[in-house]
Amino acid sequence: MRKWGRRQILLGGVLSAGACLLVGFLVFWKYDMQNVNNNSVLFRIIFFVVFLILRLSLSCAMGPVPWLYIAEIVQPHIVPWCSLLNWAMLGLITTLFPVLCEINNGNPAIAFFIFSCVAFCSFLVNRKVIIETKNKTELEIRK
């Protein structure tokens, strides 16, 4: 992580997650859930690949990088609030996903669209706010 920098890994992960969610939206929007039959191999392949890339981007970037970044940048007394915000957002996503699917007659397309918009907005905010840690020591980062 020190070689590439946490900022680049985080931005790449957020951007790839947003792109995967957008492709997921397009797939579910094209294939209405009531009309997808068991023989729709293309739908299953596309969704499997998109889901795999999404999980990889979340596991490699969005999972570990924020915790390493927070520990280096944020004052120790703020770290619990960061953890609280993380868990609250995870709870919100977990709660909203089935609600958004139900609103759209069981089709998760709208949920994928909303979450992709959030990911792209997160990319833009992170691009402006997050400082680069590439090739810097902890003392240089804390300055």
Side-chain angles (χ1 to χ4, degrees):
M1 270 191 225
R2 187 170 274 161
K3 180 181 176 183
W4 291 334
R6 287 158 182 76
R7 181 177 187 260
Q8 296 303 322
I9 295 171
L10 186 62
L11 290 176
V14 170
L15 191 60
S16 64
C20 288
L21 289 166
L22 187 60
V23 171
F25 158 71
L26 294 171
V27 167
F28 279 111
W29 182 54
K30 173 150 177 39
Y31 294 99
D32 187 20
M33 293 309 291
Q34 276 78 23
N35 297 328
V36 173
N37 57 23
N38 292 335
N39 297 328
S40 183
V41 176
L42 182 61
F43 170 82
R44 294 172 189 275
I45 290 172
I46 292 172
F47 187 72
F48 176 76
V49 170
V50 166
F51 183 75
L52 185 65
I53 295 170
L54 176 65
R55 290 301 306 153
L56 285 172
S57 67
L58 293 175
S59 297
C60 294
M62 297 301 294
V65 173
W67 293 110
L68 294 171
Y69 193 84
I70 287 170
E72 292 175 342
I73 304 297
V74 176
Q75 298 297 321
H77 69 278
I78 299 176
V79 172
W81 294 105
C82 297
S83 180
L84 177 67
L85 180 63
N86 182 44
W87 283 105
M89 290 300 109
L90 289 173
L92 183 67
I93 289 170
T94 304
T95 303
L96 277 181
F97 192 83
V99 171
L100 292 171
C101 291
E102 187 66 31
I103 290 171
N104 203 21
N105 297 325
N107 190 334
I110 191 74
F112 277 87
F113 179 73
I114 291 171
F115 295 146
S116 70
C117 290
V118 170
F120 289 130
C121 289
S122 174
F123 172 80
L124 295 174
V125 169
N126 286 340
R127 205 170 117 199
K128 284 196 169 268
V129 173
I130 303 261
I131 62 170
E132 182 58 77
T133 61
K134 182 178 180 180
N135 295 326
K136 292 183 179 178
T137 64
E138 288 186 37
L139 291 175
E140 292 172 328
I141 293 170
R142 290 196 185 266
K143 287 182 183 180

